[in-house]
Amino acid sequence: MTATQVPSRPKPAQGLSRRTIWLLVVVLLAVVIGALGQIIKVPYAIFSPGPAQDTLGKSDKQDIIAITGTQTYPTSGRLDFTTVSLYGGPNYPVSVWQWLRAKTDKNSEIFPEEQVFPKGKTGKQVEQENTAEMVGSQEAAEVVAVRAAGKKVAETVTVGAVSKGKPADGLLRVGDRIDQINGKPATTLDTIHGAMDAVKVGQTVQVTVTRAGKSQTIAVGTVKNDDGQAIMGISLAPKYVFPFGVKVNAGDVGGPSAGLMFSLAIYDKLTPGPITGGKEFAGTGTIDTDGVVGPIGGIRQKMVGAHNDGADIFLAPQDNCNEVKGHVPDGLTVVKIGTFAEARTAVEKIGKGQASGLPSCG
């Protein structure tokens, strides 16, 4: 007999192994969880260290502090303003993953969202407020620094707003320039506040204003505010005229917290001899036109940012000292500051190697 070859039956197709199926399930779940972690938002705000920037340097090829029309002087060293990377609010809502990362980052802080971003405000409103605060901070820094350098800054004060239902409602108008109160010159914030400090609640104030180019005196009553002081029910809008050009180019940074460092940089450029002595300083703090330094948010993150950028000295507002204690990065010296004059003195002394005896937050 002739041998014949019987074809073998084809093997049934092998299915996926149980292990492979489980791996695919795990991968799929990881993808889904990862996507959900990015999509799902949580009602928190996160403060993380941001970059520091030298106010004596440049941003986008422009001098951060640009002064024209007067003599300026060479500077050295650095006067860094510090920032916070802020996540949360209507513009940048926090994802689950961002929240989890912040929970494991010792340099980040998490706050309930409404503690940082008031409810009901849109992203555009928040952005506009931050921009307005930065512009106001820059102007205050310019006023303080230019006056400290011995230059005159002319000032007038107008009515910025009138509160509905208050004594000034219907009498004073937005844009009225205030010239006198009770017959005495009152053309600056200081003189107006001083004049109103002498007024008792319920008394009538004779307010001389310039409106549409004409001077007139208007009798305005007063009521008590929350602090028990006499008020007419207006907010004041000061206007300043500088003897030369001063411009701050801060980029897209918002908020008022760089005011102190801007003022130091402007002063340094307007006066002979670098106040830093070639050393690197960083700091933060709001500033008003009287030179008073105010507290800011994110002080701990700003100290970390300053340290990461190589600063040795950090200027901190005195009202932030309770947040500074126990959180100063190794190698960073913190100096407590209450006014522009104190900050200038501290920088000059440290620049000359005379750092002992300066106040700290310890």
Side-chain angles (χ1 to χ4, degrees):
M1 289 181 62
T2 304
T4 58
Q5 185 174 6
V6 178
S8 61
R9 293 181 181 180
K11 293 182 180 180
Q14 294 291 326
L16 296 174
S17 69
R18 184 172 298 177
R19 181 182 178 186
T20 302
I21 291 172
W22 275 111
L23 284 173
L24 288 173
V25 170
V26 169
V27 169
L28 181 60
L29 283 174
V31 170
V32 171
I33 291 171
L36 288 175
Q38 291 293 343
I39 294 171
I40 298 174
K41 307 301 180 183
V42 292
Y44 293 98
I46 298 172
F47 283 8
S48 297
Q53 194 159 13
D54 181 18
T55 56
L56 298 174
K58 294 180 181 291
S59 176
D60 295 329
K61 299 181 180 180
Q62 289 184 311
D63 288 337
I64 291 181
I65 304 297
I67 300 174
T68 56
T70 191
Q71 183 177 4
T72 57
Y73 298 89
T75 62
S76 67
R78 292 174 64 101
L79 290 168
D80 292 353
F81 74 85
T82 48
T83 64
V84 166
S85 294
L86 175 58
Y87 304 94
N91 282 342
Y92 305 101
V94 172
S95 70
V96 170
W97 287 125
Q98 287 175 312
W99 179 81
L100 287 172
R101 281 196 296 269
K103 289 285 285 185
T104 59
D105 180 8
K106 66 178 183 178
N107 293 324
S108 294
E109 285 186 276
I110 302 173
F111 300 91
E113 190 175 56
E114 65 271 15
Q115 191 173 323
V116 181
F117 300 96
K119 286 186 177 180
K121 287 190 177 180
T122 65
K124 186 175 181 179
Q125 287 174 321
V126 171
E127 192 173 307
Q128 288 174 337
E129 287 182 1
N130 285 338
T131 300
E133 287 179 339
M134 173 58 89
V135 171
S137 171
Q138 291 172 1
E139 185 174 60
E142 292 162 8
V143 171
V144 169
V146 172
R147 286 177 173 169
K151 313 293 184 179
K152 184 177 180 181
V153 179
E155 179 180 355
T156 60
V157 181
T158 61
V159 176
V162 180
S163 299
K164 191 173 182 180
K166 298 296 183 182
D169 189 13
L171 297 174
L172 297 179
R173 299 179 186 175
V174 172
D176 285 348
R177 190 186 74 201
I178 299 175
D179 299 321
Q180 295 182 355
I181 290 181
N182 288 336
K184 295 181 179 180
T187 57
T188 67
L189 287 176
D190 284 344
T191 55
I192 291 172
H193 289 151
M196 289 303 298
D197 287 343
V199 176
K200 295 181 179 179
V201 175
Q203 285 184 336
T204 297
V205 179
Q206 300 295 323
V207 185
T208 301
V209 302
T210 297
R211 179 184 298 170
K214 295 182 179 180
S215 179
Q216 56 183 294
T217 299
I218 303 167
V220 184
T222 59
V223 293
K224 182 168 60 176
N225 69 0
D226 294 337
D227 295 326
Q229 298 172 316
I231 60 168
M232 296 179 284
I234 61 172
S235 64
L236 303 175
K239 295 183 179 180
Y240 302 97
V241 180
F242 293 91
F244 44 79
V246 183
K247 185 178 180 182
V248 178
N249 303 301
D252 59 358
V253 178
S257 65
L260 170 63
M261 302 311 291
F262 288 150
S263 65
L264 288 169
I266 295 168
Y267 177 83
D268 198 8
K269 288 194 169 190
L270 288 174
T271 54
I275 63 174
T276 66
K279 294 181 171 60
E280 182 170 346
F281 295 80
T284 187
T286 66
I287 197 164
D288 65 19
T289 53
D290 293 325
V292 176
V293 175
I296 50 80
I299 187 76
R300 296 177 187 175
Q301 289 72 37
K302 290 180 178 179
M303 289 190 297
V304 172
H307 181 261
N308 291 343
D309 197 55
D312 299 314
I313 309 295
F314 188 86
L315 308 178
Q318 62 183 12
D319 289 340
N320 282 120
C321 274
N322 61 324
E323 301 170 76
V324 169
K325 292 178 182 177
H327 298 279
V328 179
D330 290 341
L332 189 68
T333 298
V334 176
V335 180
K336 179 175 67 175
I337 300 298
T339 65
F340 168 81
E342 291 176 2
R344 181 187 64 192
T345 298
V347 171
E348 289 175 337
K349 282 188 174 182
I350 293 170
K352 294 175 182 177
Q354 303 169 359
S356 62
L358 291 173
S360 69
C361 287

